[in-house]
Amino acid sequence: MTESSGATEVVACPECDLMVRLPGIQEDARLGCPRCHHTLSYSGEARLRRALPLGVCAALLLLLSLSFPFMSFESAGVENRMTLIQASWALLLDGSYVLSALVMVFIVIAPAVLVACVLVVSSFIYRQKPSAGVATATKLLFGLTSWSMVEVFIIGVFVSLVKIAAMATVELGVSLWAYLGLSFALVGAIASLDKVSIWRLLAQSRGGAR
């Protein structure tokens, strides 16, 4: 929770619930809770500007991961190649409706929404001009971060490969490596976008536009 108070904000520490009044924006400063030392904010516009190139990189990697085969299996002379979307469709045809929906939502849709939000918010940081959808994109970005299962999915894939390799010949596709790169780019982009700093910039841009 954040409340504005003049040029400063009062933030509730998510760890110990202490109400902390944050100072004005400083370059490359870490603002922590005085009670439990939990990080409340990383200020500095240079840190925020890292998000745009990482977001563009994540968008390109997401397109690659959805366009090429994720991996291929060959057993008894029969080869099967599959993309991420085809994997969800195959689960649907097999009757695994819930699993198909989970794959589509958490592995495809959620990362795509997060990448779009990163691009909208980071573009605002460069332009410093408020536009429709920036506040909504900011809320979605920080609200959906915990629902993205990109890293969990990648770990699960490599763990399952240990068992699958004993039953069939497995060839890793371009999509898998692109998706692995997406996980790093997306995490880096989100980590660069500090929530407190973004809301401050939004408030300042709105005030300057009046």
Side-chain angles (χ1 to χ4, degrees):
M1 183 182 72
T2 305
E3 296 180 1
S4 297
S5 177
T8 61
E9 286 81 24
V10 177
V11 177
C13 176
E15 293 294 324
C16 66
D17 293 328
L18 177 69
M19 301 301 293
V20 181
R21 188 178 299 278
L22 298 179
I25 296 179
Q26 303 174 21
E27 286 299 320
D28 300 323
R30 173 188 173 276
L31 306 178
C33 174
R35 177 192 288 171
C36 67
H37 307 294
H38 177 76
T39 300
L40 301 176
S41 173
Y42 281 105
S43 62
E45 194 169 328
R47 182 186 181 91
L48 294 174
R49 288 179 175 270
R50 299 174 197 161
L52 185 57
L54 287 171
V56 172
C57 180
L60 294 175
L61 289 170
L62 179 61
L63 289 175
L64 284 174
S65 66
L66 297 178
S67 302
F68 292 90
F70 194 76
M71 61 177 64
S72 63
F73 306 91
E74 183 179 351
S75 179
V78 179
E79 186 178 10
N80 187 15
R81 293 176 180 269
M82 191 172 294
T83 65
L84 285 173
I85 296 178
Q86 287 173 341
S88 177
W89 181 249
L91 289 170
L92 181 65
L93 295 179
D94 193 48
S96 302
Y97 305 114
V98 175
L99 187 56
S100 173
L102 289 175
V103 169
M104 181 59 67
V105 171
F106 293 108
I107 308 304
V108 178
I109 297 177
V113 172
L114 281 174
V115 169
C117 290
V118 167
L119 293 175
V120 170
V121 175
S122 57
S123 296
F124 157 73
I125 292 170
Y126 266 83
R127 293 184 294 105
Q128 296 287 310
K129 293 181 181 180
S131 60
V134 176
T136 302
T138 303
K139 293 177 182 178
L140 275 174
L141 175 64
F142 295 110
L144 292 177
T145 299
S146 58
W147 291 97
S148 175
M149 301 296 176
V150 174
E151 305 90 342
V152 178
F153 177 66
I154 287 294
I155 293 173
V157 167
F158 281 107
V159 170
S160 61
L161 280 176
V162 176
K163 294 185 176 180
I164 297 175
M167 299 182 292
T169 302
V170 181
E171 181 181 347
L172 305 181
V174 174
S175 175
L176 174 61
W177 301 114
Y179 204 82
L180 178 61
L182 167 66
S183 66
F184 287 104
L186 191 56
V187 168
I190 294 174
S192 301
L193 294 172
D194 178 65
K195 185 188 298 185
V196 174
S197 299
I198 293 171
W199 285 118
R200 279 176 168 176
L201 289 173
L202 274 169
Q204 289 175 359
S205 62
R206 286 170 178 169
R210 292 173 185 172

